[in-house]
Amino acid sequence: MDLNAVTDVLRPCGRAELPIACEGDAVLGGGTWLFSEPQPAIRRLIDLAGFGWEPLRTGADGLTLSATCTIAELNGLEAPSEWRAAFLIRECCRAFLASFKIWNMATVGGNICLALPAGPMISLAAALEGEGVLWAPEGTERRVRIADFVRGPREVALALGEVLRAVHLPAEALRRRAAFRRASLTPLGRSGVLLIGTRGEEGDFALTVTASTRRPVQLVFPAMPISGELAAQLAAAIPDALYYDDMHGRPDWRRHMTHLLAQEIRDELSEPGEGRA
Ligand SMILES: Cc1cc2nc3c(=O)[nH]c(=O)nc-3n(C[C@H](O)[C@H](O)[C@H](O)COP(=O)(O)OP(=O)(O)OC[C@H]3O[C@@H](n4cnc5c(N)ncnc54)[C@H](O)[C@@H]3O)c2cc1C
């Protein structure tokens, strides 16, 4: 779609070329959302493509994804075998039910900054203790957990002019055992519920709830909880008003499925296992 209100498109090639932020600016990732609907308030696009960032890098400390890494590039990653949770990467890419055209354009940063509850890169990064690197306009940088960065539908912790530069997933999180569950109202529908559980060597358990809730919700236990404790903690952490309501699922269905899938994950990760749970 043509964005008729846009008068300038800037393509900085280095950090010093990032413009002073103005109302009406929008950072352009892959543009799959920006160009999908009218944007009457946007006057200027700041296109990140000119930076030419390396899409992703693996190292002893984990996986670093540039904000401009596309879903297709991430899906193609060959992860080290000791990263037992790496199968989540493909699960989350596939939770993004879109054509190859979207997969080749949509970026990790755009998915996170758009902050739709069904954003699968939010699910992945929140569950794997991902940390976002934010560039501020005055040249400083700050880091924030992705689980905290996404505050609600279309709401993130970005100040005017800030850009999400990268997301880092630590190796310790990638080495954990993991289990994935997703539910949608239709076979090819958008995620209505997406839960990821991970378990550490010490037996600690983390459950991350996304898609069913307005923002990511994470529960952390020092040991695997019994079924009743998990249900009680879920009920306490997610009041009814926090369940999301849109055409992809009613809150009561999302609550029911969240509890059901959480128990499945609990059962799965209670079993002894080496690799994928
Ligand atoms: C068929 C189809 C299916 C889709 N399915 C899903 C789905 O299942 N789940 C889902 O969440 N979305 C879905 N989308 C919406 C959208 O395509 C994705 O969220 C996509 O990941 C957005 O990424 P992008 O790079 O194209 O973002 P853009 O459209 O470029 O930007 C999205 C928003 O993020 C901001 N932004 C982008 N990058 C940055 C950055 N680095 N720093 C700061 N702000 C930034 C932009 O200013 C804009 O507000 C779908 C879209 C289509 C057309």
Side-chain angles (χ1 to χ4, degrees):
M1 164 178 300
D2 290 341
L3 302 184
N4 299 323
V6 171
T7 54
D8 280 305
V9 178
L10 306 182
R11 189 177 258 216
C13 295
R15 193 161 180 187
E17 293 178 24
L18 271 174
I20 294 174
C22 303
E23 286 298 337
D25 280 355
V27 172
L28 174 61
T32 61
W33 177 79
L34 275 172
F35 288 100
S36 73
E37 53 185 75
Q39 308 286 357
I42 297 182
R43 298 282 173 273
R44 196 165 70 158
L45 291 173
I46 320 295
D47 184 356
L48 298 181
F51 282 101
W53 292 326
E54 180 186 20
L56 47 81
R57 188 183 318 144
T58 58
D61 63 339
L63 173 62
T64 303
L65 304 170
S66 284
T68 47
C69 176
T70 64
I71 306 302
E73 286 165 336
L74 178 58
N75 187 58
L77 172 71
E78 293 292 336
S81 56
E82 66 270 22
W83 289 1
R84 290 180 295 184
F87 76 92
L88 295 172
I89 293 173
R90 293 217 172 115
E91 293 283 10
C92 289
C93 288
R94 289 193 186 116
F96 198 147
L97 291 167
S99 70
F100 70 92
K101 288 181 285 186
I102 301 291
W103 267 41
N104 280 299
M105 292 303 294
T107 64
V108 170
N111 190 255
I112 293 173
C113 292
L114 185 58
L116 298 180
M121 297 300 109
I122 299 170
S123 313
L124 178 72
L128 292 180
E129 298 161 32
E131 205 178 49
V133 179
L134 305 182
W135 276 5
E138 68 278 12
T140 56
E141 183 174 299
R142 67 183 176 108
R143 289 169 180 258
V144 56
R145 291 171 71 236
I146 296 298
D148 300 328
F149 178 71
V150 178
R151 293 178 169 165
R154 305 285 330 279
E155 191 190 339
V156 289
L158 273 178
L160 180 68
E162 270 188 326
V163 171
L164 177 63
R165 163 65 183 89
V167 176
H168 179 71
L169 308 179
E172 307 80 68
L174 284 156
R175 283 196 292 267
R176 290 166 72 89
R177 288 178 63 210
F180 174 93
R181 292 289 187 286
R182 173 181 176 276
S184 170
L185 285 177
T186 57
L188 293 179
R190 196 167 279 196
S191 304
V193 184
L194 199 160
L195 270 64
I196 293 174
T198 66
R199 196 146 195 221
E201 290 296 331
E202 307 301 319
D204 54 303
F205 172 60
L207 180 71
T208 306
V209 178
T210 51
S212 58
T213 47
R214 296 173 60 80
R215 57 170 171 77
V217 174
Q218 202 160 44
L219 303 181
V220 178
F221 301 87
M224 188 57 85
I226 59 169
S227 171
E229 185 191 353
L230 178 59
Q233 294 286 337
L234 268 176
I238 313 180
D240 285 352
L242 194 51
Y243 283 101
Y244 193 49
D245 187 4
D246 75 350
M247 69 170 93
H248 302 292
R250 289 167 51 107
D252 52 354
W253 173 76
R254 292 186 199 253
R255 182 179 57 239
H256 172 77
M257 292 305 296
T258 298
H259 279 254
L260 185 76
L261 299 182
Q263 295 296 342
E264 284 187 16
I265 286 177
R266 193 202 76 88
D267 293 347
E268 196 172 315
L269 290 180
S270 295
E271 300 288 327
E274 280 302 310
R276 179 177 171 162

